Amino acid sequence: MKQILQTSIWSHRDIRLVLPARALSFAGDSIALIALMLRVSEGHGPAAITALLLAFAVPTVAMIPFAGRIVDGFDSRKVLVWSGLLQVVAGVGLALVHDLVHTLALVCVLQVGQAVAGPAWGALIPRIVGEDLVGPATGTSQALIGVAMLAGSAAGGVLVGWAGTRGALLVDAGTFLVLVLVAQLVQTRRRPEPGSADEGGGVSAGLRAIFGDDLLRVLVPAIWLFVVAGEAVNVVEVFLITGELGLGPSLYGAAGAATGAGAILGAWYSGRLNGDRSRAAGVVVGMAAIGGSSVLMGLAGNLVTLMIGATAIGVGSGLLNAAASALVVTRSAETVRGRVIAALNGTVRSFSILAMLLGGLAGAVLGPRGTFVTCGLACAAAAAVVGALVARSTAGTKDSELEAVSH
C-alpha cells in the first residue's frame, strides 16, 4: 500500500490543487455555454448560434502561431496568472453585456485566454508528476473534467432560472479566479531554457516535433481526418433523435448525458494504459468504437439501441482523447511541449470547424441516418488503416525504444 501511495498522482501536492481546480473551471464553462446559448437564442436565429459556436472555436485556431511560443517562452506562473486574469475579465464582461456583438467579442477574448492557458497547464502537469505518471494524470484529469462538465450542464439551466444569465456567467468568472489563485499557489514552475523559444515559429516548431516522431506522424494526421468524419454527426444528432426516432428533448439530453458518462469511463481507463504501444492501441480502439457506434446509432430503431450507441461513442471518445494527449506529451521534448500542444489543439479545432460545415451539408444530402452511417463507416475504415500503420511502425520495437525515438 505504501508503494501504491508513493506512485499515485495524488501524492503530489500541486496535482491535488491543479486537477480539481481545472475540473471546476470546466464546470463553469459548461454553465456559461448554456447561459450564452439561452441568451443568444432569444431574439436571434440559427445564424447567431452558429456565430457563437464559431466565436468559441476560431480564437484557438487564430492563436496557433502565438500560444505555444508564449507557453514555452515565459515562466509558467506568469503565463497562467495573466491568461487566467484575462478570462476573469472576459467572464465578468459577459455577465454585464447583453447584445450579440459584445457577447461574441468577449467570447473571443475568453477563448484567447483559454488558447494559452490550456497548453500551459498541459505542459506543466508532466513537470509536476514526472514522465512516468503522465498517462494516469491525463486520464484522471479528463475523467474529472468529464464529471465536472456533466455537473455544469445539469446546473447551468437551474442557475439561469434562479439567478439569470448574469449570475450564471459570474459563477464561470469565479471559477477562473480560482484557477488564478491555484496558479499562484502551485510550487512547480516551468521556465524557458535559454534560446528554447528561438528554435523557429510557434506552429512550425510544434508541427516539426509531431512529424519528426515516428508514431505521432501517423496518429496526429489520422486524428485530424477522424475529427472531420467523427464530429460531423454532431450537427445532425438532434434531428436523428427528435425527428427520425421521434423522441423528446429530455431523451435527447439523456443521450448526451450517456455520451458524457461514457467519456468519463474511457478517460479513466486510459490512465491504466502503460507505454506508448498500449496508448497507441487505445487511440485506434477509440476510433473503431466511435465508428461502429455511429453506425449503430444511425440504424437505431429504439431508445435502448440509441443509448448503447451514445454510451459507446463516449467511451471511445474518452479513450481516444486521453490516450492521444498522453502520447503527444510524453513523446515531445520538454522545451517545445507548449508549442506542440498548442499546434495540436489549434489544428484539431480547425478540423472541428470543417466538420460542422460538412455535417450540415451531409445532413441535407444524406439525412440524419445516412450521415451517421456514412461517417461511422468512414471512421471504422480509418481505424483499420491507422491500426495497420501503427502496428507496422511499432513492430519489433519495445516501449523503451519507442520513447527514445523523439528525444
Side-chain angles (χ1 to χ4, degrees):
M1 178 64 71
K2 182 177 180 181
Q3 180 64 26
I4 293 174
L5 290 174
Q6 286 176 342
T7 58
S8 168
I9 62 170
W10 300 114
S11 64
H12 298 271
R13 168 194 175 273
D14 286 348
I15 214 69
R16 296 196 297 270
L17 292 172
V18 171
L19 295 194
R22 291 202 74 203
L24 177 65
S25 176
F26 276 90
D29 289 347
S30 295
I31 292 170
L33 179 60
I34 289 177
L36 292 171
M37 292 283 278
L38 291 172
R39 173 194 286 179
V40 171
S41 65
E42 294 179 1
H44 301 284
I49 295 294
T50 301
L52 177 63
L53 294 176
L54 288 174
F56 274 100
V58 171
T60 305
V61 179
M63 285 294 292
I64 295 176
F66 313 107
R69 289 181 66 89
I70 293 171
V71 172
D72 289 334
F74 296 91
D75 183 280
S76 59
R77 181 175 294 174
K78 293 179 180 178
V79 171
L80 290 168
V81 167
W82 285 107
S83 61
L85 287 174
L86 180 64
Q87 291 176 292
V88 172
V89 171
V92 173
L94 282 168
L96 298 178
V97 304
H98 298 282
D99 62 289
L100 180 62
V101 173
H102 286 98
T103 295
L104 295 178
L106 285 168
V107 169
C108 287
V109 174
L110 187 75
Q111 291 305 98
V112 166
Q114 178 59 32
V116 175
W121 286 115
L124 182 63
I125 287 174
R127 185 68 73 87
I128 296 173
V129 300
E131 301 291 329
D132 291 341
L133 292 178
V134 168
T138 301
T140 302
S141 176
Q142 295 204 14
L144 287 174
I145 287 170
V147 172
M149 291 180 70
L150 277 181
S153 297
V158 175
L159 270 174
V160 171
W162 176 60
T165 57
R166 173 175 293 181
L169 291 167
L170 285 175
V171 169
D172 185 38
T175 64
F176 289 124
L177 184 59
V178 170
L179 267 184
V180 171
L181 295 176
V182 167
Q184 290 276 27
L185 292 173
V186 167
Q187 296 173 350
T188 308
R189 305 280 283 271
R190 185 172 180 268
R191 296 182 175 90
E193 295 184 8
S196 64
D198 299 324
E199 298 173 358
V203 64
S204 60
L207 292 177
R208 279 199 305 272
I210 289 171
F211 284 100
D213 182 275
D214 289 344
L215 191 55
L216 296 183
R217 73 162 62 106
V218 173
L219 289 178
V220 171
I223 290 171
W224 292 336
L225 296 177
F226 186 83
V227 164
V228 174
E231 293 194 9
V233 300
N234 294 341
V235 180
V236 299
E237 183 178 17
V238 63
F239 302 107
L240 172 71
I241 295 174
T242 61
E244 298 286 337
L245 291 172
L247 303 175
S250 61
L251 292 178
Y252 170 62
T259 301
I264 295 167
L265 178 61
W268 171 81
Y269 181 77
S270 75
R272 303 171 68 87
L273 301 176
N274 294 316
D276 290 354
R277 183 181 287 103
S278 60
R279 289 176 189 141
V283 172
V284 175
V285 170
M287 289 181 173
I290 293 170
S293 302
S294 295
V295 174
L296 181 63
M297 287 184 68
L299 299 176
N302 54 63
L303 176 62
V304 173
T305 307
L306 175 75
M307 296 297 284
I308 292 172
T311 304
I313 282 180
V315 172
S317 298
L319 181 60
L320 167 67
N321 292 334
S325 296
L327 276 172
V328 167
V329 169
T330 55
R331 293 182 68 84
S332 301
E334 211 283 333
T335 55
V336 296
R337 274 183 182 157
R339 281 166 282 183
V340 170
I341 297 171
L344 180 66
N345 290 349
T347 52
V348 166
R349 189 55 70 94
S350 299
F351 284 100
S352 294
I353 294 172
L354 178 60
M356 283 194 290
L357 300 175
L358 293 180
L361 178 61
V365 175
L366 302 173
R369 287 190 183 275
T371 300
F372 263 84
V373 171
T374 302
C375 290
L377 290 173
C379 290
V385 173
V386 174
L389 292 174
V390 168
R392 180 184 300 177
S393 66
T394 60
T397 308
K398 299 178 180 179
D399 269 327
S400 59
E401 294 170 337
L402 276 174
E403 291 167 0
V405 170
S406 62
H407 298 292

